[in-house]
Amino acid sequence: MSKQSPSTDTQFMDKLVSLCKRRGFVFQSSEIYGGLNGAWDYGPLGVELLRNIKEAWWKDMTHRQNIEGLDAAILMHPRVWEASGHVENFTDPMVDCKQCKARYRVDELLNGLSIKKQKEILRQIDESYARLNDVEIAALFSQLPEADPRSILKLINCPNCGNKGTFTEARKFNLMFKTFVGPVEDSSAVVYLRPETAQGIFVNFLNVQGASRQKLPFGIAQIGKAFRNEINTKNFLFRTREFEQMEMQFFVKPGTDDQWFEYWREQRMNWFVRFGMPKEKLQWHQHEPGKLAHYAKNAYDIEFKFPFGWGEIEGIHNRTDFDLSRHEQYSGKGMKYFDEETKEKFTPYIIETSAGASRSFMAFLVNAYAEEEAPTAEGTMETRVVMKFHPKLAPIKVAVFPLVNRDGMPEIAHKIEEDLRTHLPVFYDDSGAVGRRYRRQDEIGTPYCITIDSQTLGDQTVTVRDRDTMVQERIASDRLVSYLMDRIYKF
Ligand code: GAP
């Protein structure tokens, strides 16, 4: 049995997106109206997979003595976003092509050029750049846009229409969606759709601490929607305008922050591995000191190897006392913690773990997808598509098939389905050859398929077929619940 991946990255993504639509994982938002860029709908299987990912994260985070849950409102007081720095800093430099009106993020436009093109451009700016090697060129090029995008932008062609030097001046574009509260649409009524869930946690720090009587160090976890008016949405669910985050803010005594930062880095990387991601498809990317977000002292991304390259799925940030200090300053309300034992009053440091639920969903989909050569009932070979989800994440856990629709098999199969349904999501399928039914379940990642056959009528045993090995075992039907629960929910 060989695991194959479709030959090119674009083919891979095409196949995945098409499977997602065909089997009900993900649909384009408002598809009948031509769709809306950067927004996606989760279908019957997608919503289950997404819930399972969120549930796995929620349990891992909140089934600890020192982490509390929260579900804060999406709309918050506009001063929150001034304090957080988002009004001032949450911007991307953007340009438009005057010719064809295509819009680009400057950094993506420039970093997307080939090394050859980058070399050529640098040479036109300064001949002395000619002696640099490729690595030096790439490094220099990634810094130049911030220093002087204009001189470079004049020298490059629009990727859409091919015209040279047709870009507008770069201008800052704030990524927060604005709306208004109440009937009057003036500046005093502006509110933002939150671009991250984190701020709801920061402003509730003392509410949660007081209500739960937690002592430092402790954390607050939250899952919820976030919105960013991204200039370019791309790569399916990777960069969207509406998405979900799973964030946890861990409040610690200053001086212990480096140690907790390392602790949470390890915890979070292990979580992805535990749910089936191989270590070689995950890597760390440390933010260079000059490129840290305005609030961060140290930051690492967990990156996953997507078909289009390595991409961030989670950020671990040491946010220092930036957030609580700023909210204290902007709200005029004390945000300090009083340590009963030492009688000290101080502003805690925050270690943040910030995962995208939607982006993780996509990473789990990519990771699960496999094409394998498998034998047919006729003894020939065929390619089967199989989603190798971790059993806990799989949307359907078990499928039940009567071999034929007579001789009392459907009645037994329905009884087994009913018994299992109180414990697990079950799918009943009685149409077509059993081989076809297996393939349909493989394609949506169902870990186990149960077949009721003529032997069942005599000895009440059924076959249980494992999705990954395709091996079948005979099990007494009254042992099914414990057999499946052990395998699906163990560890
Ligand atoms: N509170 C910190 C914060 O929001 P971030 O690195 O901007 O940090 C955290 O975002 C995670 O949210 C990312 O690792 C990614 O998984 C997800 N994310 C961010 N922007 C996204 C977008 N436009 N579409 C989908 N997921 C996104």
Side-chain angles (χ1 to χ4, degrees):
M1 190 165 52
S2 66
K3 185 166 173 176
Q4 301 175 339
S5 48
S7 47
T8 69
D9 300 341
T10 338
Q11 270 178 1
F12 183 98
M13 284 312 296
D14 288 349
K15 286 187 184 191
L16 190 68
V17 174
S18 138
L19 184 148
C20 281
K21 177 171 181 194
R22 191 161 34 82
R23 300 307 310 268
F25 282 95
V26 181
F27 308 123
Q28 206 183 2
S29 162
S30 335
E31 189 186 326
I32 59 167
Y33 291 98
L36 179 72
N37 267 346
W40 297 89
D41 298 339
Y42 293 81
L45 294 180
V47 74
E48 291 296 330
L49 175 62
L50 184 62
R51 284 174 70 105
N52 292 343
I53 293 169
K54 292 189 286 186
E55 184 65 12
W57 183 90
W58 187 256
K59 278 194 177 149
D60 192 62
M61 282 295 174
T62 63
H63 287 192
R64 302 174 189 238
Q65 191 71 26
N66 59 356
I67 298 192
E68 305 290 340
L70 181 74
D71 190 357
I74 288 174
L75 298 178
M76 302 181 75
H77 195 288
R79 290 278 284 167
V80 167
W81 306 108
E82 289 172 32
S84 69
H86 282 81
V87 171
E88 193 186 342
N89 296 316
F90 199 52
T91 56
D92 276 337
M94 165 197 100
V95 287
D96 292 318
C97 171
K98 289 186 222 156
Q99 212 70 40
C100 71
K101 312 289 176 224
R103 178 165 286 183
Y104 302 97
R105 257 172 66 176
V106 175
D107 56 340
E108 286 188 351
L109 184 65
L110 301 180
N111 293 328
L113 297 170
S114 67
I115 282 283
K116 192 166 160 245
K117 186 75 190 161
Q118 292 186 349
K119 230 182 237 177
E120 194 184 304
I121 289 170
L122 288 179
R123 228 184 249 149
Q124 289 178 59
I125 294 174
D126 187 336
E127 231 347 277
S128 68
Y129 288 132
R131 61 189 151 73
L132 300 181
N133 65 32
D134 289 1
V135 177
E136 289 166 331
I137 297 256
L140 182 64
F141 208 86
S142 71
Q143 285 160 18
L144 270 179
E146 279 152 42
D148 186 10
R150 261 168 317 154
S151 57
I152 301 181
L153 288 169
K154 270 191 228 140
L155 300 171
I156 62 175
N157 302 74
C158 168
N160 188 42
C161 68
N163 283 305
K164 193 182 205 168
T166 51
F167 294 114
T168 56
E169 295 265 308
R171 57 186 187 282
K172 282 187 170 183
F173 173 74
N174 195 296
L175 301 186
M176 284 195 293
F177 278 102
K178 265 187 200 167
T179 187
F180 302 91
V181 282
V184 184
E185 297 195 357
D186 65 18
S187 57
S188 64
V190 165
V191 288
Y192 301 96
L193 299 189
R194 67 180 176 200
E196 60 172 13
T197 58
Q199 299 300 326
I201 296 181
F202 302 142
V203 300
N204 276 300
F205 162 60
L206 286 179
N207 281 341
V208 174
Q209 192 259 325
S212 60
R213 300 175 60 229
Q214 285 280 3
K215 290 186 173 57
L216 250 54
F218 80 96
I220 305 177
Q222 174 168 223
I223 298 177
K225 290 254 177 170
F227 304 84
R228 297 184 187 179
N229 198 0
E230 300 283 0
I231 297 169
N232 287 318
T233 56
K234 63 174 182 185
N235 292 328
F236 194 30
L237 305 169
F238 185 80
R239 179 166 296 137
T240 54
R241 297 198 168 104
E242 175 177 341
F243 55 95
E244 261 185 297
Q245 289 186 316
M246 309 185 287
E247 296 200 300
M248 194 280 300
Q249 312 294 332
F250 202 70
F251 301 86
V252 304
K253 189 170 184 183
T256 64
D257 50 312
D258 291 338
Q259 161 201 337
W260 282 110
F261 184 71
E262 288 310 317
Y263 172 82
W264 282 110
R265 277 206 319 126
E266 192 190 342
Q267 291 282 306
R268 294 305 304 144
M269 183 61 102
N270 289 346
W271 184 81
F272 285 106
V273 174
R274 234 185 313 138
F275 283 94
M277 293 202 180
K279 285 190 175 138
E280 60 276 13
K281 285 198 196 163
L282 295 167
Q283 71 176 18
W284 287 111
H285 164 75
Q286 185 176 18
H287 292 216
E288 291 162 36
K291 293 201 166 173
L292 284 169
H294 59 275
Y295 51 75
K297 166 179 162 189
N298 199 358
Y300 277 84
D301 295 336
I302 298 178
E303 293 186 333
F304 175 77
K305 196 167 192 208
F306 288 99
F308 43 83
W310 290 97
E312 172 193 343
I313 49 176
E314 170 156 353
I316 322 290
H317 310 129
N318 181 342
R319 300 185 67 122
T320 68
D321 59 359
F322 176 85
D323 304 281
L324 293 180
S325 303
R326 292 275 289 202
H327 285 305
E328 181 166 289
Q329 185 191 338
Y330 278 69
S331 68
K333 302 277 169 14
M335 296 296 284
K336 293 193 174 55
Y337 170 81
F338 181 68
D339 188 324
E340 300 281 354
E341 276 163 34
T342 62
K343 308 292 176 211
E344 286 171 283
K345 206 173 182 188
F346 57 87
T347 308
Y349 269 35
I350 294 172
I351 307 302
E352 168 182 75
T353 69
S354 174
S358 337
R359 233 184 239 181
S360 302
F361 174 97
M362 180 166 161
F364 281 116
L365 276 177
V366 167
N367 186 52
Y369 187 97
E371 289 178 8
E372 291 178 350
E373 288 303 299
T376 63
E378 295 76 40
T380 54
M381 296 300 274
E382 67 173 2
T383 303
R384 72 162 184 153
V385 171
V386 52
M387 295 299 281
K388 294 191 169 183
F389 295 125
H390 185 287
K392 269 193 189 169
L393 301 184
I396 305 281
K397 310 294 186 205
V398 57
V400 179
F401 310 150
L403 184 63
V404 289
N405 285 318
R406 57 182 153 75
D407 303 337
M409 289 184 213
E411 288 74 10
I412 300 174
H414 274 305
K415 173 77 177 67
I416 289 177
E417 176 209 354
E418 217 173 278
D419 290 348
L420 291 177
R421 205 175 276 291
T422 55
H423 304 274
L424 299 153
V426 184
F427 187 83
Y428 185 89
D429 188 1
D430 60 3
S431 68
V434 169
R436 290 283 115 221
R437 290 184 243 173
Y438 283 149
R439 294 289 173 270
R440 288 200 288 265
Q441 294 306 312
D442 288 345
E443 208 184 34
I444 60 168
T446 306
Y448 297 100
C449 293
I450 295 168
T451 304
I452 288 81
D453 54 18
S454 52
Q455 192 177 328
T456 315
L457 307 176
D459 66 6
Q460 287 83 49
T461 63
V462 294
T463 64
V464 181
R465 182 251 196 194
D466 180 293
R467 176 195 68 198
D468 298 341
T469 61
M470 294 188 281
V471 169
Q472 297 181 28
E473 240 187 294
R474 273 213 98 81
I475 304 286
S477 54
D478 60 2
R479 277 192 52 225
L480 274 175
V481 171
S482 63
Y483 178 93
L484 294 168
M485 297 300 276
D486 273 1
R487 279 158 185 76
I488 293 167
Y489 294 109
K490 68 177 174 220
F491 90 83

